[in-house]
Amino acid sequence: MELYNLMENEVLNTIDSIQKEVEIKCQCEKCRLDIAAIALNNLSPKYVVTEKGYLYAKVNNMNYQFNTDVITAVTKAIEMVSENPKHD
Ligand SMILES: [Zn+2]
């Protein structure tokens, strides 16, 4: 059994789908994860207890309802990271 924060998946999915509307200046993995970390720190976690393997199927069958809190947090995080990438 393990703990998993469903919000992680929601934030990463939102980053992927929002890219069409909000420009992310740097597309590297570091910036993508920085954006996710900033957004997640501003959102309440959604922890579930899950068995390994089970979660994967569940997450993939979920219908993502992109809620405005997540979109707002991700948009802000994208702006912050685009203005100040944490690398050269
Ligand atoms: Zn980058």
Side-chain angles (χ1 to χ4, degrees):
M1 303 297 272
E2 59 184 10
L3 272 176
Y4 183 78
N5 179 5
L6 284 179
M7 197 55 102
E8 280 183 28
N9 219 279
E10 225 166 294
V11 162
L12 289 172
N13 269 283
T14 303
I15 293 172
D16 289 342
S17 56
I18 214 173
Q19 289 192 62
K20 295 153 208 151
E21 286 135 56
V22 184
E23 189 200 358
I24 302 176
K25 276 195 188 139
C26 179
Q27 299 281 339
C28 79
E29 189 66 6
K30 164 88 175 127
C31 286
R32 188 168 174 267
L33 292 177
D34 276 342
I35 290 165
I38 292 166
L40 282 164
N41 283 336
N42 287 310
L43 291 160
S44 305
K46 274 191 209 165
Y47 278 102
V48 290
V49 178
T50 174
E51 280 176 54
K52 277 199 166 142
Y54 171 74
L55 178 74
Y56 188 73
K58 193 182 174 198
V59 163
N60 277 314
N61 286 323
M62 237 184 225
N63 260 332
Y64 283 101
Q65 304 228 324
F66 294 104
N67 77 57
T68 46
D69 287 351
V70 177
I71 293 172
T72 305
V74 167
T75 307
K76 269 190 200 156
I78 289 173
E79 282 165 9
M80 281 171 72
V81 171
S82 288
E83 275 166 30
N84 251 324
K86 293 203 177 87
H87 59 69
D88 296 327

